Amino acid sequence: MNKLLITLFIFLLPAVLPAEETPYDHIFFDNARMTGAWFYSEATYTSPSYLQTSQNKLPVTDAHAFTPSTSILLNYISATGGNWSATLLYPDWRGKDFIKEANSLDFRLLLTSNTLPAELPLIAIATQNQQSVSQYIPLQEFVKNTPTNEWIYITIPLGRFTHIAYTHTKEIKQLLFKQAGNDGKEHILYIDQVELAPSQEQQPGRVTTPAIQAQAYERHVDITWNTNGLNRFKYIKVYRGTSQGDFLPVGIQNPLMGRYTDFTGETGKTYQYKVTLLNQDYNETAPSGAVSATTFAMTDEQLLDMVQEAHFRYYWEGAEPVSGLARENIPGRQDMIATGASGFGLMAIVTAIDRGFITREEGVERFLTITSFLEKADSFHGAVSHFMDGPTGKTVPFFGPKDNGADLVETSFLYQGLLVAHQYFNKDTEEEQQIRHWINTL
């Protein structure tokens, strides 16, 4: 290879590294944490037309759901002389910025009213702050019939939305609905699983649904599972058993999170759980085996233990695997670690050892990983950057080209955690001596 090709290879290498990050689905809505108003929406109407709103936003309901446990309600009357409109906003999440390029707008629609296709609203898409807005198109073009109480799958090629400018579909930030006709009837629609979807998704191979564990507390149950091999699945679907012996779906979760919290609000009750996996087409695997857990009245000490262990688990289970340090967001970039947050994570590990959440040996193993990583990672006169790439230890200028050097605030958080660890790992074993040596070196 000649010098020019070598130079080009080295120059271009950093540009291809981000492609290793796991791309996320471009989802406008899949599930709300609670009923009421959907925060990422805007809704308005002028009489005699009508649109049911909650604090000028679209309502969220658990009356119907394609994926448990909620959907968005679109309850409207289109009348002569009036108007209504509604907007779904993409929930931007810092660090969750590697988004799949899409080919279509997909969602599920359920009608409980006698609504004809021609009575459905118009629909459009827009970029941030509606800097570029497509032409509105009639939703009826993509709905052959409108049966009641049956989920309809709607897919609209993005090419059908004309007069909008963007270079990547991740720039599409708004989905717009508005009045189409003036029939004067009340229409009740439920919308769920709204996303911009790729044309083809690689479906996962045959995978056995993971076994689950259930840990009960006073008013909720934590369900956990092993995440190995689940990266190509869209969701894990959680079922809760009823007193009649039936299992009803109660929630969905990103399979790679490894944990789902089912808040039941009731104490002294036994619940059974099982889960399935959903692929990109929402087909389900066979269910896992069932497990049970019983909620119980907790003491103040048990409550504090629960809260403290939950915070620790965030850093322990969600750590970037090569460095052992804290990711910036969960979910978010899989490889990017935040050094300041990692300092909090170091303190949490020390606490967890002392409280018996993990063994000292487990904590030592993690600290050996962390300190050996930091000893080789980028630093600037001893200080570290705000963000690093976990697999390589290289600085990540996440906030722009001037974010490529030391961050004294984040360094102070990180080093406070290391100083505590230096005092805590005080035994004369080879491993703990090595931890202290590396911390001294840093």
Side-chain angles (χ1 to χ4, degrees), residues 169-406:
T169 55
K170 68 180 179 181
E171 298 168 31
I172 299 171
K173 302 290 188 179
Q174 298 188 11
L175 175 59
L176 314 173
F177 297 91
K178 75 174 182 178
Q179 177 173 323
N182 54 2
D183 56 88
K185 295 164 48 180
E186 181 181 21
H187 302 282
I188 303 175
L189 285 59
Y190 297 87
I191 299 173
D192 201 359
Q193 211 55 48
V194 185
E195 60 186 308
L196 301 186
S199 58
Q200 292 183 340
E201 285 273 33
Q202 186 176 8
Q203 300 292 352
R206 291 185 178 181
V207 173
T208 303
T209 306
I212 58 173
Q213 295 80 42
Q215 173 65 54
Y217 298 92
E218 183 162 300
R219 300 184 187 182
H220 75 273
V221 179
D222 275 352
I223 298 97
T224 57
W225 58 89
N226 189 305
T227 63
N228 290 340
L230 305 186
N231 58 305
R232 289 182 180 169
F233 285 93
K234 195 174 190 74
Y235 294 110
I236 206 160
K237 189 174 181 179
V238 180
Y239 289 82
R240 184 202 303 150
T242 67
S243 56
Q244 289 76 31
D246 300 324
F247 279 88
L248 299 178
V250 294
I252 53 174
Q253 179 64 288
N254 180 334
L256 300 183
M257 295 291 284
R259 163 181 306 273
Y260 176 85
T261 295
D262 181 36
F263 181 80
T264 67
E266 296 190 68
T267 304
K269 291 200 67 173
T270 299
Y271 300 96
Q272 286 195 315
Y273 296 93
K274 62 183 180 180
V275 301
T276 61
L277 292 165
L278 302 185
N279 68 11
Q280 301 298 329
D281 293 331
Y282 297 90
N283 298 316
E284 292 189 54
T285 61
S288 67
V291 297
S292 63
T294 303
T295 55
F296 61 96
M298 297 173 65
T299 65
D300 288 351
E301 189 67 20
Q302 288 172 321
L303 172 66
L304 292 173
D305 286 348
M306 177 193 76
V307 173
Q308 195 164 37
E309 183 172 3
H311 283 74
F312 155 70
R313 293 289 172 193
Y314 179 89
Y315 294 106
W316 183 257
E317 297 174 357
E320 191 281 320
V322 176
S323 65
L325 293 171
R327 293 185 173 105
E328 161 64 0
N329 295 91
I330 304 174
R333 293 194 185 187
Q334 296 295 301
D335 292 341
M336 190 170 76
I337 59 173
T339 53
S342 296
F344 305 144
L346 303 185
M347 298 282 281
I349 294 172
V350 169
T351 303
I353 298 170
D354 217 53
R355 300 299 302 275
F357 302 152
I358 57 173
T359 66
R360 191 178 184 96
E361 290 72 24
E362 289 174 312
V364 164
E365 182 180 0
R366 179 64 63 87
F367 264 93
L368 286 170
T369 298
I370 291 169
T371 51
S372 63
F373 167 82
L374 289 173
E375 198 268 335
K376 301 171 185 175
D378 282 353
S379 65
F380 306 87
H381 302 289
V384 296
S385 57
H386 191 159
F387 301 113
M388 290 184 187
D389 180 67
T392 65
K394 298 298 182 183
T395 296
V396 177
F398 181 75
F399 292 121
K402 293 185 179 180
D403 186 33
N404 65 347

Side-chain angles (χ1 to χ4, degrees), residues 28 41-44 85-90 92 124-136 163-165 171-178:
F28 280 80
S41 69
E42 298 170 351
T44 185
S85 64
T87 303
L88 291 185
L89 308 172
Y90 178 72
D92 273 314
I125 58 175
T127 58
Q128 188 75 35
N129 300 321
Q130 297 192 19
Q131 293 177 353
S132 183
V133 183
S134 76
Q135 283 190 325
Y136 280 85
H163 297 83
I164 181 173
E171 298 168 31
I172 299 171
K173 302 290 188 179
Q174 298 188 11
L175 175 59
L176 314 173
F177 297 91
K178 75 174 182 178

